[in-house]
Amino acid sequence: MRYKIETNFPEQLPNIEAALKIIDPQAQVVADNGDFSLLIDIDASSFGVKIQLSAPQVSWSFNDQEINDRRYNLEDRKQRLKEIVRLGIINIFKAIFDKNPPWGILSGVRPTKIYHYLRDKGFSGQEIQERLLQNYGLSPAKAKLLLEIGQLQEKFINNQTISIYVGIPFCPTRCHYCSFPAVSLETHRHLVGNFLKGLELEIKATSALCGELGFNIESIYIGGGTPTSLDDDSFAQVLRWITDAFDIRRLSEFTVEAGRPETVSKAKIEAMVASGVNRISINPQTMQTATLRGIGRNHSIADIYNAVDLVKATNLILNMDLILGLPNETGTMFLDSLQKVIAIDPENITVHTLAPKRAASWHKEFDELNLLQSQELVNAHGIAVDLLQQHGFIPYYLYRQRAILGDLENIGYAKRGTESVYNIQMMEERQTILGLGGGAVTKWVVGPDFKVSRHQNPKCPATYYQRVSEDIVKKAQLTRILLS
Ligand code: SF4
């Protein structure tokens, strides 16, 4: 739909458009001939907002008193004006579109940040819950979920440590829905050798930098791509570079992402155990053979069980990922996959919801694919939440994506005491994470407001190798400036 907006605060137009997109993802703000005409009057001094829709005639007005709470500062007050406008837009249009967005005015990737923001201000759990409902317009179920996750995360964040991410951007084939920095070994195997030379340089340089600046490393996460798609010797070599560079005994967590089960071998598991890895992620995404073929994964269900058997013979914490909403999958099929994964009894299960992404090879065809964006899938998600909780899994981190199916979210579940600290730190952005390898993102988190500065290594393994020496110097300089 097209929306004509008149407002005495034109600087709010991007915010108004963002709010409209929550309720109408195709919303476009236009100068003339809108399908809807809105008059938005903002009084910044009294935090008053009046919104009038001309046809049908609907109006909404609000004068915020809560922002006068002494715990808020000037920045919070500026932000609040945007929040009131968003709340008004959603309230005006929810009856017209017959939609009540469960996440209210929150459209970002990390809604749990709101919990920590309010907690830092000194609000209690009860006060946060009230604000999630009233100021942010969350549904009672989402407010409860966010509160539960935020409270659980508190003991993990606000520390003085850093973490390290190592990206290995290779996979056996590329999944059709993939938007990660990953190339297929079928076509790019010739790039592995130089990529590893670059990675060795970067691991050694990062080790020296951490020593120079006296960093305490809380966790290391080797992701990608699929790190275990390297051959056994190369994989063991990467682990040796890491164990030579960092004091592994002091880590709280050391994870290897082994997303593709067919890449897991006994030798790799033994190398992980010998190197102090204590968490592994094996990600079937579905337990339906037809779907595996349809999404471009060339492994079998038996491969999943074989990989799990190797892990079960160790003390590694096992995470398994599933995706709700894969093409041609009904909610019943997803629940069948979930029950099979629960029967495996991993310590962690991460439930993703499909969100079409621009970087996926399916991008252009997403509309034509049989994505069953039905209430049945949303209902299955609700059943999955209950099922996981019945089996002792608690939600411990959460993130959302643009255009995510059914306005849902991605949730990491864990048996109590096995939560992944890296996942929490990475999502809440309260800890600096140094990213090494292909497509790896370094996030420096600085100051009392947790300001985040980012740098991404090249995603292409060849470009990574060409630029690695230059990038090492640039990132070291920035780390010294920002963190020492
Ligand atoms: S296994 Fe993961 S990183 Fe590799 S292609 Fe599939 S989704 Fe992408």
Side-chain angles (χ1 to χ4, degrees), residues 16-37:
I16 293 167
E17 188 162 9
L20 288 166
K21 282 184 191 295
I22 293 176
I23 209 119
D24 171 12
Q26 263 71 49
Q28 250 186 304
V29 171
V30 293
D32 293 302
N33 299 326
D35 300 300
F36 294 105
S37 291

Side-chain angles (χ1 to χ4, degrees), residues 109-120:
V109 170
R110 298 172 163 85
T112 33
K113 278 189 165 189
I114 296 288
Y115 173 88
H116 298 295
Y117 155 77
L118 290 168
R119 199 77 185 99
D120 289 346

Side-chain angles (χ1 to χ4, degrees), residues 170-182 224-226 259-260 283 285 297:
F170 298 100
C171 284
T173 55
R174 196 164 152 90
C175 304
H176 296 166
Y177 57 83
C178 180
S179 60
F180 297 107
T226 303
R260 291 294 192 88
N283 305 327
Q285 312 302 8
R297 292 167 73 99

Side-chain angles (χ1 to χ4, degrees), residues 264-276:
V264 177
S265 66
K266 191 160 184 285
K268 282 176 192 144
I269 296 287
E270 284 170 0
M272 287 183 219
V273 171
S275 306

Side-chain angles (χ1 to χ4, degrees), residues 86-335:
R86 282 182 167 227
L87 205 54
I89 300 268
I90 287 173
N91 271 293
I92 288 268
F93 283 103
K94 68 184 180 189
I96 294 170
F97 283 91
D98 193 20
K99 260 190 187 176
N100 205 351
W103 287 98
I105 65 168
L106 300 182
S107 57
V109 170
R110 298 172 163 85
T112 33
K113 278 189 165 189
I114 296 288
Y115 173 88
H116 298 295
Y117 155 77
L118 290 168
R119 199 77 185 99
D120 289 346
K121 304 235 155 261
F123 292 103
S124 67
Q126 175 67 31
E127 287 174 314
I128 293 173
Q129 187 157 26
E130 287 162 11
R131 280 152 185 80
L132 292 175
L133 295 169
Q134 285 153 26
N135 300 353
Y136 299 97
L138 267 65
S139 73
K142 299 301 180 198
K144 182 171 170 287
L145 175 67
L146 206 144
L147 195 73
E148 187 179 354
I149 292 178
Q151 286 174 333
L152 182 146
Q153 291 180 337
E154 271 189 58
K155 65 174 183 284
F156 292 102
I157 63 171
N158 293 326
N159 61 27
Q160 299 302 309
T161 54
I162 67 150
S163 285
I164 291 187
Y165 175 83
V166 180
I168 310 284
F170 298 100
C171 284
T173 55
R174 196 164 152 90
C175 304
H176 296 166
Y177 57 83
C178 180
S179 60
F180 297 107
V183 291
S184 162
L185 281 170
E186 284 180 338
T187 49
H188 292 74
R189 190 175 291 279
H190 59 288
L191 300 181
V192 173
N194 275 350
F195 169 77
L196 290 177
K197 281 186 203 162
L199 184 63
E200 183 184 9
L201 289 178
E202 211 182 5
I203 290 171
K204 286 183 174 161
T206 306
S207 164
L209 184 69
C210 289
E212 174 195 324
L213 298 179
F215 289 155
N216 288 322
I217 303 168
E218 182 178 46
S219 70
I220 297 180
Y221 191 105
I222 311 183
T226 303
T228 44
S229 63
L230 298 175
D231 63 57
D232 288 353
D233 289 345
S234 302
F235 178 74
Q237 180 64 73
V238 171
L239 288 178
R240 272 197 301 280
W241 289 331
I242 292 172
T243 51
D244 288 349
F246 305 107
D247 188 353
I248 300 301
R249 289 162 307 171
R250 296 182 63 191
L251 297 178
S252 298
E253 185 177 288
F254 187 0
T255 297
V256 170
E257 183 95 31
R260 291 294 192 88
E262 76 276 28
T263 64
V264 177
S265 66
K266 191 160 184 285
K268 282 176 192 144
I269 296 287
E270 284 170 0
M272 287 183 219
V273 171
S275 306
V277 171
N278 58 7
R279 184 171 180 273
I280 185 169
S281 194
I282 292 177
N283 305 327
Q285 312 302 8
T286 174
M287 297 296 274
Q288 315 300 318
T289 300
T291 313
L292 283 177
R293 290 206 192 99
I295 60 178
R297 292 167 73 99
N298 57 2
H299 65 81
S300 65
I301 300 294
D303 288 329
I304 300 167
Y305 286 107
N306 290 342
V308 164
D309 284 347
L310 291 170
V311 174
K312 288 276 179 180
T314 71
N315 289 325
L316 294 172
I317 289 175
L318 173 61
N319 173 68
M320 299 184 81
D321 282 9
L322 288 174
I323 300 177
L324 171 72
L326 287 169
N328 299 313
E329 279 212 352
T330 60
T332 309
M333 291 158 84
F334 168 76
L335 290 172

Side-chain angles (χ1 to χ4, degrees), residues 68 81 300 313 389:
N68 295 322
L81 217 43
S300 65
Q389 293 194 340

